Amino acid sequence: MADLKDFAEQLVNLTVKEVNELANILKDEYGIEPAAAAVAVAGPAAGGEAAEEAQTEFDVILKAAGGSKLAVVKLVKELTGLGLKEAKGVVDSAPAPVKEGVSKDEAEALKASLEEAGAEVELK
């Protein structure tokens, strides 16, 4: 039981970069799509920062598809659950929102995935 508590504590303390790496490992090596789990695992942000208003909802905006448009269309389709035609419409109409009103961790994970595919992405 103590091992599970230690494991849970390690998961909660992962950085966003580490969560993205874990998500890639789970997907590539085990075929598991951990999109929702990655957000939950990221846990709360470190406290004690300056008293700034924390934005809780973010919009992921596709600014440009970049060099590999087809890969970006496929990724937008996968990430949003849209059909191929609708995903292509989002990419073709860039700058366009990919997802709106998502958590910071999910927005950063989406941004990292899209940028890895070659797209230009902005968070608002």
Side-chain angles (χ1 to χ4, degrees):
M1 185 67 112
D3 291 337
L4 288 177
K5 286 187 178 186
D6 291 340
F7 180 66
E9 187 172 328
Q10 288 176 341
L11 285 175
V12 170
N13 292 323
L14 291 175
T15 65
V16 173
K17 183 178 179 183
E18 291 169 331
V19 170
N20 284 332
E21 289 176 19
L22 176 61
N24 287 335
I25 291 169
L26 290 174
K27 182 178 177 184
D28 295 342
E29 294 185 19
Y30 300 99
I32 299 171
E33 280 291 337
V39 174
V41 170
E49 303 272 326
E52 74 180 52
E53 286 188 35
Q55 184 177 351
T56 58
E57 291 187 349
F58 293 83
D59 296 340
V60 180
I61 309 296
L62 177 68
K63 291 175 66 176
S68 53
K69 182 178 172 183
L70 182 59
V72 174
V73 170
K74 287 180 179 180
L75 187 58
V76 168
K77 178 183 179 286
E78 179 184 319
L79 294 173
T80 62
L82 294 173
L84 186 58
K85 183 177 180 180
E86 292 83 7
K88 183 180 183 301
V90 169
V91 173
D92 286 342
S93 64
V98 175
K99 275 199 170 182
E100 298 176 313
V102 297
S103 70
K104 180 178 182 179
D105 293 331
E106 183 178 358
E108 288 177 353
L110 290 169
K111 180 180 179 188
S113 297
L114 288 164
E115 286 178 341
E116 188 175 303
E120 285 184 51
V121 183
E122 175 182 40
L123 299 181
K124 287 188 177 186

